Amino acid sequence: MKSLFKFQLGAWNLYFIGKLFLYWKGLIGFHPIENLAFLVFIALPIPSRIWRWARTTLAFPLALALLYHDSWLPKFSRVMSQASLLKSFDAAYLIELLGRFINIQIIAVLALLLMLYWLLAHWIRVGVLVSGAIVASLVMQLSTSSVASPQVATSTPESRGGVKVSEATVDDRLTNFFREERPRKVEFTQPASASAPFDLIFIHICSLSRDDLAAVGLDNHPLWKKLDITLNHFNSAAAYSGPAAVRILRASCGQESQGELYSAAPQGCYLMEDLRQAGFATQLALNHDGHFEDFMKLVERQGINQPPLSLDQVTVAQHAFDDSPIFDDYAVLTRWLNQRQQQPSTRAALYYNTISLHDGNKLVGHAELGNSHQIYRLRVAHLLDELDRFMTDLDSSNHRAVVVIVPEHGAAYRGDKMQIAGLREIPSPAITLVPVGVKIVGAHVPRLGGNVSVADSTSYLALSQIVANLIKTSPFDAPSGYSPADYVKNLPTTPYVSQQGEETMVRFNGKYFLQQENKGAWEPYDSE
């Protein structure tokens, strides 16, 4: 009977020691109640040998499930929902992804802990220490639970139109945000009949954030210095291509919630339809075949019903993770320009989508340069060089155009403690704060003043307003020169709210808070 009360963990001590170490390093989360329950399950003595065997058999899958639950990885249901997409990854990319989970330093420390355990296990009751550490973590989490729902009695520093927004909780902030966004709208007017016509070129770039640019040292690339207008705190509000495409193609209206993106938007919210009403022939070009996640059908539902530019005989520069072709950006844009110059329409609006920076891409004929992560900087530099070259061609050909550069989301090149490099399930600011700029080309009139940088928190509504301002007062109608500052007056600001699936990130009182699974507590997002 006495043996029934011997509380022993044995080798399971290593499991908990490893998890506590990873939790201490901030590499995983930790659910002390669930872990305590599992500890009791495996430690209480059972007299029957058969039942001990059954418990051990059940313990291993439970341990793996609990480790996954403690990790920052996406919900298992999310992984299963993406299983068909994972099957499309080639073997090389899957190996690359698995390699990003490996941290040699962490493995070395875990090996050292293993050695220390075997040396000290005969002298110290390690199980008691482990149990105490888990209980202590529970006490600490309970004592700091008030952080999960911060109460705010004063107004927040962020504002819209000079009026401060004040909420009692982050939940209220989010609810009020979407309520205030719903009626917001940009109105587009027809250009004056005597106005010099010009084209609008929207270049939508997959996988490029401000953090990515800083990480690879290309935030000072010459292209950025040539832009007339830059939005320095632009939130794409999305971490995946599908939602990002919907958001830019509905840029005429305020920010929608993630759940609203896949329902029809109110009339007047579809950017390309608004431009069509303003006299622009809408056009579509991609540097890929548009099959992944039915991208072509998605953009069609957002008001682009024209067939995309033909890519026959265009140079294939890369292959995607599913081995589909990715075409050279400069070659695609040059083909569009050559065809455009043969068309009678006086004004055109092009939506161009490029996936040249997507994770998993391989350069054609250059496998020796490394995997997709290792060649990311090379791909970014090449894309920026090609966009710079294309705009130079536009200018030298006297083709009047306004080029709008806006990435979909970042590549998560660095990753953080909650997400490995390339994983974008959590829409963190390192992923959704993207470099956005506008360039006026072919004007051949002087620019009055330097380029303008907008420091306010903005999103697609501000971008639409700039475009509407350019249409209303064309920079090509001013022989004495145009001032970029004239086009950014009274831009609508948008407080930071980003969403991906069931994850929501809010900037509140100068800090970022994350809510997972559309429920539960808001937790400060600490990426370090």
Side-chain angles (χ1 to χ4, degrees), residues 2 54 64 98 141 224 232 269 281 322 338 343 436 448 453:
K2 184 177 180 181
L64 289 174
L98 290 173
Q141 288 191 20
W224 308 121
N232 290 340
C269 291
D322 60 356
N338 292 336
Q343 295 168 351
V436 172
L448 305 177
S453 296

Side-chain angles (χ1 to χ4, degrees), residues 200-381:
L200 287 165
I201 302 171
F202 296 90
I203 299 178
H204 208 200
I205 304 171
C206 175
S207 302
L208 183 67
S209 70
R210 287 191 168 276
D211 187 73
D212 297 330
L213 282 173
V216 298
L218 290 170
D219 43 349
N220 288 315
H221 187 279
L223 173 68
W224 308 121
K225 299 177 183 179
K226 295 179 181 179
L227 300 176
D228 293 292
I229 300 168
T230 55
L231 303 178
N232 290 340
H233 204 270
F234 185 98
N235 176 28
S236 72
Y240 275 78
S241 297
V246 176
R247 290 192 183 282
I248 190 173
L249 294 174
R250 296 185 181 186
S252 303
C253 289
Q255 184 171 324
E256 296 174 289
S257 68
Q258 177 84 11
E260 294 173 309
L261 293 180
Y262 300 98
S263 301
Q267 186 176 3
C269 291
Y270 294 99
L271 176 63
M272 300 306 277
E273 177 60 29
D274 289 341
L275 294 175
R276 190 181 296 114
Q277 295 295 325
F280 289 80
T282 57
Q283 300 178 353
L284 172 66
L286 317 170
N287 78 331
H288 53 98
D289 60 18
H291 81 281
F292 191 70
E293 292 191 311
D294 285 332
F295 187 82
M296 272 297 302
K297 291 182 179 178
L298 183 142
V299 298
E300 287 174 3
R301 290 194 294 270
Q302 309 311 314
I304 302 181
N305 299 316
Q306 295 74 24
L309 179 77
S310 171
L311 298 176
D312 289 344
Q313 306 304 314
V314 176
T315 303
V316 176
Q318 302 179 53
H319 284 103
F321 53 73
D322 60 356
D323 210 36
S324 61
I326 300 173
F327 300 89
D328 181 75
D329 289 288
Y330 179 75
V332 177
L333 289 168
T334 298
R335 170 170 287 193
W336 172 83
L337 178 59
N338 292 336
Q339 292 189 10
R340 173 72 187 100
Q341 291 174 332
Q342 306 302 317
Q343 295 168 351
S345 53
T346 56
R347 296 177 177 86
L350 170 70
Y351 172 72
Y352 175 62
N353 184 268
T354 170
I355 63 170
S356 293
L357 305 183
H358 197 285
D359 202 30
N361 290 1
K362 304 174 290 292
L363 296 175
V364 172
H366 294 285
E368 76 282 357
L369 295 178
N371 60 39
S372 67
H373 192 259
Q374 292 166 334
I375 62 172
Y376 179 74
R377 186 190 188 282
L378 178 64
R379 290 186 287 136
V380 173

Side-chain angles (χ1 to χ4, degrees), residues 449-471:
N451 58 356
V452 176
S453 296
V454 177
D456 294 332
S457 180
T458 58
S459 195
Y460 301 101
L461 205 66
L463 199 59
S464 284
Q465 188 63 63
I466 292 172
V467 171
N469 293 343
L470 286 162
I471 294 173

